Amino acid sequence: MMCQGTVLFFKFIYQEFYETTSAPEQGTLFQLRNVIHRVDVSGGEGAVDKFRAHYAFIMDCLDAYILGATMKVMELECLDGMPVKWRPPPLLKTAEKSDQYQWLTKLAQEILEEHVKLDKDKNLTRMSEVAKEMDTQTLSVQGMFDDDLQKFVCTCGKQYKNLGFFKRHLVNKHNWLFRDDEDPTADTCTSECKSDSVANYRASFMKNALILRDTYDAYSMCDGGRVVRNAKFEFLCADVRKHNKYKLWLWRFMAYVIALLSPKQAYEYMWNCASNTIGGIGRNIPNDNLVELMVQLVKKKIREQGSNFTYASAVKAALSSQVQDEIKQNLQQEIQQKTKGKSRTKTNKSVDIEVMVMELIKGNLFSYIPGREFQSFRNFQDASERVNLTKLHTWVTKQKERASFEML
Ligand SMILES: [Zn+2]
């Protein structure tokens, strides 16, 4: 179960990697779905309506991609083969847990470097540098605004009412350079033309699916720190796919945690992202989900009251429903009756995953061949490379202004 926000990030993954093609090209999610006959996976609106099936499919694909990448790194011929590289030390099986963990982490790091981080985070670093530069510029322009005159006053004494004219003056007379004047597409092609679109697709999918898995895990462990960290990536994705409501939601979430609340409040807000109604580690659900569940419960109670329903009875139902639910669950546990719908039969996915791994290897998904393309994913670029930073910066600046008098 996931909160509204994360569901949209999930939708983003389907839009990005599944729906852009109808041609089953080797290694794409669409082709993998056909190979393993996941008929309940349809993409589009179905991704949210039949959430569980679609989520499971993405996770299985991710597992297949991870296994394929591991085989490449270890130079394995098949899943049961003997690795040429990264052969586990002979006594690893009986070694201390911490030693096993260390070895595994190193291997995972190698896979991450070679198959997921294709641009070695250059793009994100560049983006944050440019954003910082824009911030300084905006701040210094705003600093030249005179509150009494209600005008921008330049260092040379000239006054402007209009921001656009003032900026033009700064460019023409003082040699300022504003990013918004630059052509955003100017420098993308020269470096990108010879890249491997297929490898970009693979790396981008692995990255985003890993973020999705991590967010899901962060919510179920109620790990506020990770939820905030992942929100930053999800924010960029929402921007690229123009999920505006979600973008705003994420922005406000981060604004509250980072800037608006007091340290104590921020800490509480961050770590109250999920609740646990059934007990046990890793069984939390996001709070907006909990609200949704409670709303359903109360609605049901009100329906049961039929024509006897009044405002007062609705309030009573709302206040008592959680307690009633708890009593019901306790009773059920006492008589050791299995709670309905709480456990689901687990199907064995390993066969599916093995088939998918073989498809990925056949499609040479884990090599880097400059100039290669999927026919239906021409010039595929990771979402982070498609962010229009000037537009985003203008948006964030506007939101900051609004937040200064609207929020809290
Ligand atoms: Zn001037």
Side-chain angles (χ1 to χ4, degrees):
M1 236 181 276
M2 260 197 239
C3 70
Q4 189 58 20
T6 319
V7 165
L8 278 163
F9 180 60
F10 173 71
K11 227 175 157 178
F12 160 84
I13 291 186
Y14 266 93
Q15 287 181 330
E16 196 73 0
F17 304 102
Y18 185 89
E19 286 157 24
T20 22
T21 180
S22 51
E25 292 187 69
Q26 194 98 47
T28 61
L29 298 198
F30 188 72
Q31 187 248 357
L32 294 180
R33 174 230 180 234
N34 291 348
V35 169
I36 59 166
H37 309 293
R38 280 289 165 90
V39 283
D40 48 0
V41 170
S42 59
E45 286 309 306
V48 178
D49 295 341
K50 282 188 266 168
F51 175 74
R52 207 166 286 276
H54 282 77
Y55 184 79
F57 175 64
I58 291 287
M59 287 305 121
D60 291 346
C61 286
L62 177 60
D63 283 336
Y65 269 85
I66 292 174
L67 280 175
T70 314
M71 285 171 73
K72 181 84 179 175
V73 167
M74 295 177 111
E75 291 185 16
L76 272 166
E77 289 287 323
C78 59
L79 278 171
D80 307 320
M82 239 346 221
V84 178
K85 282 183 182 168
W86 283 93
R87 193 177 285 224
L91 291 173
L92 191 70
K93 246 187 193 168
T94 53
E96 292 275 329
K97 277 260 183 295
S98 59
D99 293 340
Q100 293 178 347
Y101 178 75
Q102 213 176 18
W103 184 83
L104 206 59
T105 316
K106 271 192 201 147
L107 175 61
Q109 196 66 39
E110 171 102 4
I111 296 165
L112 205 62
E113 294 292 335
E114 265 189 45
H115 294 282
V116 183
K117 290 160 75 172
L118 279 191
D119 72 340
K120 309 282 177 228
D121 291 337
K122 261 187 245 141
N123 199 37
L124 283 175
T125 321
R126 186 187 57 92
M127 202 156 35
S128 71
E129 273 166 13
V130 175
K132 245 181 231 156
E133 200 181 297
M134 288 172 163
D135 263 347
T136 334
Q137 252 174 2
T138 315
L139 278 179
S140 48
V141 170
Q142 277 169 353
M144 286 193 255
F145 188 78
D146 191 307
D147 277 329
D148 297 331
L149 295 169
Q150 286 294 309
K151 277 178 187 169
F152 293 98
V153 182
C154 184
T155 42
C156 70
K158 277 212 162 211
Q159 297 181 357
Y160 289 90
K161 250 197 161 144
N162 179 298
L163 178 64
F165 289 137
F166 180 48
K167 274 188 170 174
R168 202 183 308 157
H169 168 79
L170 287 173
V171 171
N172 292 336
K173 296 281 176 222
H174 303 283
N175 298 321
W176 280 46
L177 195 76
F178 285 100
R179 287 270 167 182
D180 2 345
D181 310 328
E182 285 175 32
D183 183 5
T185 54
D187 61 351
T188 44
C189 199
T190 42
S191 57
E192 238 50 66
C193 280
K194 286 215 89 185
S195 74
D196 178 352
S197 208
V198 176
N200 286 345
Y201 174 88
R202 174 247 301 155
S204 182
F205 169 70
M206 286 179 79
K207 184 173 88 179
N208 286 298
L210 280 168
I211 293 176
L212 179 71
R213 179 178 281 180
D214 191 57
T215 307
Y216 193 92
D217 183 61
Y219 270 113
S220 65
M221 301 296 286
C222 194
D223 185 347
R226 263 194 294 161
V227 170
V228 174
R229 198 173 58 203
N230 292 354
K232 294 177 189 172
F233 289 103
E234 292 162 15
F235 174 70
L236 290 180
C237 296
D239 176 59
V240 168
R241 280 284 170 182
K242 304 204 173 15
H243 293 186
N244 290 325
K245 252 162 79 188
Y246 177 37
K247 182 171 143 191
L248 191 64
W249 185 86
L250 282 169
W251 189 82
R252 295 201 156 196
F253 173 62
M254 290 189 285
Y256 274 126
V257 172
I258 297 166
L260 295 173
L261 297 172
S262 72
K264 178 171 179 278
Q265 287 172 324
Y267 191 83
E268 283 174 359
Y269 180 52
M270 193 163 107
W271 291 95
N272 271 324
C273 58
S275 317
N276 192 330
T277 56
I278 40 177
I281 294 174
R283 300 177 70 178
N284 297 283
I285 57 171
N287 269 345
D288 29 351
N289 247 163
L290 182 70
V291 172
E292 185 61 29
L293 284 181
M294 286 301 150
V295 169
Q296 296 300 339
L297 207 65
V298 173
K299 274 186 183 164
K300 201 177 139 206
K301 288 243 166 359
I302 292 176
R303 266 199 304 274
E304 280 165 4
Q305 291 172 0
S307 57
N308 295 328
F309 151 74
T310 60
Y311 177 75
S313 73
V315 171
K316 209 176 266 176
L319 292 176
S320 61
S321 57
Q322 194 176 356
V323 182
Q324 281 180 12
D325 203 46
E326 270 167 27
I327 295 172
K328 194 176 106 196
Q329 279 190 9
N330 283 341
L331 276 175
Q332 273 170 340
Q333 258 167 17
E334 260 173 50
I335 53 173
Q336 296 198 324
Q337 184 191 10
K338 224 175 169 191
T339 330
K340 239 195 293 170
K342 277 283 182 288
S343 72
R344 289 181 177 79
T345 46
K346 280 201 172 141
T347 44
N348 187 6
K349 303 278 180 59
S350 55
V351 181
D352 280 359
I353 291 173
E354 218 174 308
V355 172
M356 288 198 275
V357 173
M358 288 308 139
E359 282 301 315
L360 293 175
I361 290 187
K362 233 197 285 169
N364 231 344
L365 261 276
F366 301 100
S367 313
Y368 194 89
I369 307 165
R372 180 164 64 146
E373 301 244 47
F374 280 133
Q375 288 311 306
S376 44
F377 287 96
R378 285 198 176 270
N379 204 4
F380 184 92
Q381 285 180 315
D382 183 61
S384 71
E385 294 184 48
R386 301 187 336 251
V387 174
N388 184 332
L389 205 53
T390 18
K391 273 196 185 155
L392 182 62
H393 188 260
T394 316
W395 186 88
V396 170
T397 312
K398 235 178 238 157
Q399 292 304 322
K400 278 188 195 166
E401 267 168 39
R402 278 184 63 181
S404 67
F405 52 84
E406 264 182 21
M407 290 163 83
L408 279 179

